[in-house]
Amino acid sequence: MLQFWALTSKGVEEVLASELTSLGATVSKVSLGAVRFEATLEQGYQICLWSRLATRIMRQLEQLSINEQSDVYAVANELDWTTQMDLRQSLAVECVGKHATIDNSQFGAMRVKDAIVDQFRAKFGERPDVSRMEPDVRFQLRMERQHFYFLKDFSGPSLHQRGYRKEQGEAPLKEQLAAAMLIRSGWQFQQPLVDPFCGSGTLLIEAVLMARQLAPGLKRLKFAFENDSDFDANLYQELRAKALGQRQALAPTSKFIGFDTDPRQLDKARQNAARAGVAEFIEFKAGDATTLEAAGTQIPGVVICNPPYGERLGDIPSLIPVYSEFSVRLKQHYANWRLGIITSNSDLLRSLKLSRLKSYKFNNGPLDCEFTLFDLTEKQVQITSKTPSMFFAESESFANRLKKNVKQLEKWAKREQISCYRLYDADIPEYNVAVDWYDGEVVIHEYAAPSNVDEQIAQKRLFDIVNLVPQVLQVPTDAIVLKVREKQKGKEQYQALAKAGQYKTVSEYGAKFLVNLRDYLDTGLFLDHRLTRRSIQQQAKDKAVLNLFAYTGSASVHAAIGGARSVTTVDMSNTYLDWAKRNFAINDLAGKQFQFVQANVLEWLADCKNQFELIFVDPPTFSNSKRMEDTWDVQRDHVKLLTMISKLVAQQGKVIFSNNKRKFKIAREELEAAGWLIKDISAASLPEDFKRNPQIHVCFELTRSV
């Protein structure tokens, strides 16, 4: 008997072990991502042709005992590699596992490769070539504490590549995972199967291949074992012919239906099914899971799917209603069916309001997922409220606080003529988010949880928040934007989160601004500086105004509206300067008196010869931008900055200096000694909607002493 290893993805191992047994193998060990087994050469060929669950079959060449001091080169030299390949064949070597003498897997692979080529050079005076991408022979070293296992690729490129999937969706399932899900779901070949999120059709195609008993390896052009010296071509051709003759007709009750909202995905699915030879058995329809129709079958079957599950937290608000509406349709049309869903965010399953039957852990690519089963019994399908249930009863306290804040702030905002403001800012410490209103849309910023808060609990509280905010504010869920706000450094604060390119116009005190709620961590308008901007508008008439670290130029717009003689806007980012220009345009502000300068502020200050009566400077807390030679720290560097600004201040001019560093301490003595008069206006600059968080920023007025 020969020794083999069957490799697969995490979670599929036990199902793979059962499959190998059914194909005649004797399983000896099941471990993470691998099943070891014994089989004859014939059974090895058969497994390569028929396995739906393995990704690769490796033939074990040798198992050698080792200790912590064992040298991989010396151990590899115990094998006669010249019997495993021909000099004219190219090779590649992989290494998996850990050993005390090996720093990394690449080094381990290199040492095995050295042993192989050195043997050939010693015996033949020549060495075989190395080809990492398309070798004729691939070897693998798997390292464990007491043994090195030397393996030779038996199957070739991953067995999940059946040969039919040229086109795939945005979040495709690998074929072996799709097959494992079908088996774990308990689906029987005679039952109908429905996939409401079918994408490129992998689940349905795999199901038809299984039901018709079509060997998944038949479309493969070549297996690695065909290069082996003991390859039995006649035996292999007999097995292929036998496999071709085993296809079965489908049961009359079998039905395969796939729905997707994207016509392009449906086209891909149909093409994939055609290449697999099963197109005639699958009905692909344009359809939305939230309006899922009945399957039109007499017997119950299985609904199985890989729905979107939000790799980013920001996706959650839009997904909750999808799951809720999907659940309602299932309850209406699929009583007595079974439901199987794979997701990396099991919290979303609460929106289904169904009791779980069981769950299995799988890896879908890099994501840890759960495949969860539900039996849609008569009791389960009783229609209930679409509102998802809460994880925590105390989440109602968050809802009540938000309601209270809305009631207090709505009339104030209308009176102040502002259309965007903060509704909630971690008022309840356990519900550590900020909720901002932007004229009918809402941004939820989740602050990073403290290290002593369990991440899963924080995630569940966030799920409750996302459920409650649209209810309290009476807005649709697609008007909710969720962002994770962590401590940002340097260029990170400007990093794009998405590329939706959606801008909307908001207003405050007669000024209009473009905000982007989805593409960046910040929206383009710092709400906490609203009163400071109004103050600039009120003081700007007939003055030369300078706005440093200007971001999207909101303070510059207020200065221009206030009648400034000139406004100079300086920022290092072209993106934000262009945004500032657009803010000027929507306020019908144009003219040579408005200057926009793309520059490193400190370098620009060193060269500037002009004088200004009003200067606004709101620097970042920290920056290590590529465009700066040194890092910037507002606590460390603010004296240097204000010293450079001092030469630009006109007689009786004023500097408004602010920043958002918590626990910032202005160097009062040093600055006063340098001739500055300093007035702390932090409290007066806090708008009504930020008074719950008085430490959000500091603000000072500085003038030059005579």
Side-chain angles (χ1 to χ4, degrees), residues 163-265:
Y164 63 76
R165 193 168 68 175
K166 299 289 190 294
E167 301 286 351
Q168 59 190 31
E170 292 182 1
L173 284 174
K174 293 286 180 66
E175 287 83 340
Q176 87 280 356
L177 178 55
M181 288 168 57
L182 288 162
I183 293 169
R184 285 298 198 195
S185 74
W187 170 70
Q188 302 297 309
F189 297 164
Q190 72 275 13
Q191 289 181 299
L193 190 74
V194 174
D195 183 353
F197 302 88
C198 70
S200 57
T202 306
L203 276 163
L204 295 166
I205 293 169
E206 287 296 312
V208 178
L209 293 176
M210 291 168 66
R212 297 207 68 207
Q213 295 188 38
L214 295 171
L218 281 173
K219 287 188 175 290
R220 181 164 292 243
L221 296 177
K222 189 175 183 180
F223 288 102
F225 58 68
E226 295 179 57
N227 287 327
D228 291 349
S229 59
D230 62 351
F231 172 54
D232 188 333
N234 292 331
L235 174 60
Y236 172 58
Q237 290 304 324
E238 288 176 12
L239 294 174
R240 274 188 58 86
K242 185 178 178 181
L244 284 167
Q246 288 187 229
R247 65 184 64 194
Q248 300 290 316
L250 293 176
T253 52
S254 294
K255 194 168 186 177
F256 302 87
I257 306 173
F259 296 94
D260 205 277
T261 57
D262 187 345
R264 294 169 300 177
Q265 296 294 356

Side-chain angles (χ1 to χ4, degrees), residues 388-625:
S389 54
M390 298 295 107
F391 279 103
F392 303 106
E394 57 266 32
S395 295
E396 286 298 329
S397 298
F398 162 79
N400 292 334
R401 178 61 64 91
L402 184 60
K403 289 176 187 175
K404 179 182 177 182
N405 292 352
V406 170
K407 188 174 181 180
Q408 291 176 343
L409 292 170
E410 271 186 333
K411 291 182 180 178
W412 161 81
K414 188 174 183 180
R415 189 168 58 249
E416 293 288 302
Q417 296 183 315
I418 58 178
S419 66
C420 48
Y421 48 95
R422 178 149 294 181
L423 289 170
Y424 175 94
D425 197 356
D427 301 27
I428 303 172
E430 292 79 8
Y431 291 81
N432 194 27
V433 300
V435 181
D436 293 336
W437 176 265
Y438 284 89
D439 197 18
E441 293 187 86
V442 180
V443 176
I444 302 173
H445 294 284
E446 188 210 21
Y447 296 112
S451 57
N452 62 341
V453 174
D454 183 270
E455 186 177 342
Q456 290 188 340
I457 292 176
Q459 176 84 4
K460 287 176 168 55
R461 286 199 180 110
L462 180 63
F463 191 88
D464 284 358
I465 289 167
V466 170
N467 273 308
L468 287 165
V469 167
Q471 297 175 44
V472 172
L473 301 183
Q474 297 183 342
V475 295
T477 53
D478 59 6
I480 305 293
V481 180
L482 177 62
K483 299 179 180 180
V484 179
R485 179 173 290 277
E486 301 177 283
K487 290 182 179 179
Q488 301 293 309
K489 293 186 177 182
K491 64 181 180 180
E492 292 177 5
Q493 63 189 319
Y494 299 114
Q495 221 162 15
L497 302 178
K499 294 182 180 178
Q502 298 175 11
Y503 291 81
K504 71 178 298 174
T505 303
V506 295
S507 61
E508 62 175 32
Y509 304 127
K512 292 183 287 188
F513 299 106
L514 291 170
V515 293
N516 185 319
L517 307 185
R518 291 167 174 82
D519 288 0
Y520 303 92
L521 185 63
D522 290 311
T523 64
L525 188 66
F526 295 130
L527 302 183
D528 61 304
H529 287 296
R530 189 187 308 112
L531 289 184
T532 306
R533 290 191 290 270
R534 184 178 68 173
S535 175
I536 290 170
Q537 181 186 131
Q538 293 168 341
Q539 298 178 63
K541 188 170 180 60
D542 297 327
K543 292 179 180 177
V545 179
L546 172 63
N547 183 7
L548 299 172
F549 303 99
Y551 189 37
T552 60
S554 53
S556 299
V557 168
H558 274 284
I561 289 175
R565 184 174 76 254
S566 68
V567 181
T568 303
T569 303
V570 184
D571 197 274
M572 193 159 55
S573 167
N574 273 323
T575 298
Y576 291 106
L577 278 178
D578 288 343
W579 198 332
K581 293 173 185 177
R582 292 170 64 194
N583 279 335
F584 267 68
I586 64 170
N587 286 280
D588 297 322
L589 298 169
K592 293 182 179 179
Q593 71 272 33
F594 305 132
Q595 299 292 316
F596 300 89
V597 181
Q598 187 274 315
N600 178 324
V601 168
L602 297 181
E603 294 176 358
W604 184 84
L605 286 172
D607 296 333
C608 182
K609 308 299 182 186
N610 297 329
Q611 297 277 293
F612 301 90
E613 286 95 356
L614 182 60
I615 299 175
F616 177 56
V617 53
D618 180 31
T621 298
F622 180 87
S623 179
N624 60 356
S625 171

Side-chain angles (χ1 to χ4, degrees), residues 84-93 128-139 152-157 222-229:
Q84 298 300 328
M85 63 177 291
D86 185 84
L87 176 63
R88 301 307 169 197
Q89 291 179 315
S90 60
L91 79 147
V93 181
D129 292 332
V130 173
S131 174
R132 293 183 180 180
M133 300 304 294
E134 295 184 3
D136 296 315
V137 183
R138 189 183 297 274
F139 298 107
K152 184 178 182 181
D153 191 358
F154 192 72
S155 57
K222 189 175 183 180
F223 288 102
F225 58 68
E226 295 179 57
N227 287 327
D228 291 349
S229 59

Side-chain angles (χ1 to χ4, degrees), residues 69-83:
Q69 287 75 43
S70 294
D71 176 66
V72 65
Y73 180 88
V75 177
N77 257 323
E78 295 184 33
L79 278 74
D80 184 355
W81 295 99
T82 63
T83 64

Side-chain angles (χ1 to χ4, degrees), residues 140-402:
Q140 187 178 90
L141 166 63
R142 297 184 79 89
M143 301 178 292
E144 294 184 0
R145 287 184 178 180
Q146 297 179 328
H147 296 95
F148 281 170
Y149 298 93
F150 292 94
L151 312 177
K152 184 178 182 181
D153 191 358
F154 192 72
S155 57
S158 181
L159 291 174
H160 86 270
Q161 297 171 356
R162 317 284 203 227
Y164 63 76
R165 193 168 68 175
K166 299 289 190 294
E167 301 286 351
Q168 59 190 31
E170 292 182 1
L173 284 174
K174 293 286 180 66
E175 287 83 340
Q176 87 280 356
L177 178 55
M181 288 168 57
L182 288 162
I183 293 169
R184 285 298 198 195
S185 74
W187 170 70
Q188 302 297 309
F189 297 164
Q190 72 275 13
Q191 289 181 299
L193 190 74
V194 174
D195 183 353
F197 302 88
C198 70
S200 57
T202 306
L203 276 163
L204 295 166
I205 293 169
E206 287 296 312
V208 178
L209 293 176
M210 291 168 66
R212 297 207 68 207
Q213 295 188 38
L214 295 171
L218 281 173
K219 287 188 175 290
R220 181 164 292 243
L221 296 177
K222 189 175 183 180
F223 288 102
F225 58 68
E226 295 179 57
N227 287 327
D228 291 349
S229 59
D230 62 351
F231 172 54
D232 188 333
N234 292 331
L235 174 60
Y236 172 58
Q237 290 304 324
E238 288 176 12
L239 294 174
R240 274 188 58 86
K242 185 178 178 181
L244 284 167
Q246 288 187 229
R247 65 184 64 194
Q248 300 290 316
L250 293 176
T253 52
S254 294
K255 194 168 186 177
F256 302 87
I257 306 173
F259 296 94
D260 205 277
T261 57
D262 187 345
R264 294 169 300 177
Q265 296 294 356
L266 290 171
D267 286 343
K268 292 175 183 179
R270 293 185 184 105
Q271 292 168 22
N272 290 341
R275 278 187 287 268
V278 299
E280 63 186 292
F281 306 109
I282 306 174
E283 188 177 3
F284 290 109
K285 298 182 178 182
D288 191 331
T290 62
T291 57
L292 184 64
E293 60 190 55
T297 63
Q298 297 299 312
I299 66 168
V302 174
V303 175
I304 190 167
C305 56
N306 173 32
Y309 32 84
E311 294 182 38
R312 298 182 300 112
L313 278 175
D315 298 328
I316 293 176
S318 62
L319 292 178
I320 289 173
V322 172
Y323 280 68
S324 297
E325 293 287 347
F326 176 41
S327 176
V328 171
R329 291 292 172 164
L330 289 169
K331 293 171 181 177
Q332 288 175 337
H333 302 305
Y334 290 86
N336 298 314
W337 283 54
R338 175 167 287 183
L339 169 66
I341 294 183
I342 189 169
T343 178
S344 68
N345 189 341
S346 59
D347 290 343
L348 282 167
L349 300 182
R350 290 183 67 87
S351 303
L352 298 173
K353 288 197 167 183
L354 294 169
S355 298
R356 305 179 185 208
L357 176 64
K358 59 179 69 174
S359 291
Y360 300 96
K361 293 187 181 299
F362 286 125
N363 266 28
N364 184 13
L367 299 176
D368 291 328
C369 295
E370 286 188 17
F371 180 55
T372 304
L373 302 179
F374 306 85
D375 276 344
L376 303 177
T377 62
E378 294 294 339
K379 182 179 179 180
Q380 286 257 61
V381 299
Q382 299 301 312
I383 302 293
T384 57
S385 167
K386 296 180 185 178
T387 304
S389 54
M390 298 295 107
F391 279 103
F392 303 106
E394 57 266 32
S395 295
E396 286 298 329
S397 298
F398 162 79
N400 292 334
R401 178 61 64 91
L402 184 60

